[in-house]
Amino acid sequence: MRVQDGALALREAGHEVYTPGLPGIGERTHLTSPQVDLTTHVRTHSCLAPGTH
């Protein structure tokens, strides 16, 4: 199952779904640099976790 298919199925079931990109990957490849690592990805997306806004 592709991410898009899973997201669509969840949305159709009434769930709120986010499919964020990662810096340096996919449509965000222009952000690639030696400084981009797992910590970068966690910090970039930690704001999406419930209770962190």
Side-chain angles (χ1 to χ4, degrees):
M1 176 183 279
R2 297 178 320 158
V3 171
Q4 296 89 344
D5 297 334
L8 178 59
L10 288 168
R11 287 184 182 113
E12 288 174 345
H15 299 281
E16 189 171 347
V17 179
Y18 298 95
T19 56
L22 297 172
I25 299 175
E27 70 277 0
R28 298 184 75 192
T29 56
H30 64 284
L31 299 173
T32 300
S33 77
Q35 291 76 32
V36 174
D37 59 9
L38 179 59
T39 301
T40 306
H41 298 311
V42 171
R43 286 183 181 153
T44 300
H45 295 96
S46 62
C47 64
L48 296 176
T52 60
H53 302 112

